[in-house]
Amino acid sequence: MRRVIAIAVAGAGLAGCSSFSMDSFKLAAPEIPVQLESVPTGADAKTSLGPGCRTPCTVQVPAPDAGFSVTFTMDKYLPATIPVQVIRNTGDFNSSPPVVMDPSPVVAELQPAPGAPPKAVKHMRPKKPKPQKSAAAPAAAAPATTGSAFPAPVPGAARQ
């Protein structure tokens, strides 16, 4: 009976070794944040590596060995593609090398599509002041009764 148990344990141990691979020793590619912005805001941004979002936002991408691109799209605007360079600095033996993106943040200035009407801008005009009713207006209509020896001038009469 002891032999059967020993053979079963040895068989299970060898079966476990058959599924062993060297891939488990490889370091997983670290994910790095990429900040995406656009002018105007609200554009759909998609990286050539897959992840995307609506600007302004930050996406996590696996650190690539080479550069990648980000494409920005928005209704009534021409699409824009921005290339991103990946710069790897030398790292320590037991740590992955730091990755730097250029440009960071990735910013695209979208141009209006031809034929699209420009966005209307409302200009505020100051209100015209209303004429003030003054006490002088009724007095001008009535003839002046002053102690003058000359008669009051007639409005609208021309001088000669």
Side-chain angles (χ1 to χ4, degrees), residues 54-101:
R54 186 174 296 258
T55 62
C57 60
T58 301
V59 294
Q60 296 287 334
V61 297
D65 292 330
F68 61 96
S69 62
V70 182
T71 302
F72 296 84
T73 57
M74 188 174 192
D75 288 342
K76 299 181 183 176
Y77 287 89
L78 297 173
T81 301
I82 307 295
V84 179
Q85 304 245 338
V86 178
I87 303 167
R88 290 185 178 266
N89 296 327
T90 57
D92 296 338
F93 174 71
N94 51 348
S95 69
S96 61
V99 178
V100 178
M101 300 290 174

Side-chain angles (χ1 to χ4, degrees), residues 77 116-121:
Y77 287 89
K119 196 172 189 180
V121 178

Side-chain angles (χ1 to χ4, degrees), residues 98-143:
V99 178
V100 178
M101 300 290 174
D102 183 38
S104 181
V106 181
V107 180
E109 187 169 335
L110 301 176
Q111 300 299 321
K119 196 172 189 180
V121 178
K122 291 185 178 179
H123 296 285
M124 299 299 290
R125 295 183 188 157
K127 291 184 178 180
K128 292 182 181 179
K130 293 183 180 178
Q132 298 265 340
K133 293 183 180 179
S134 65

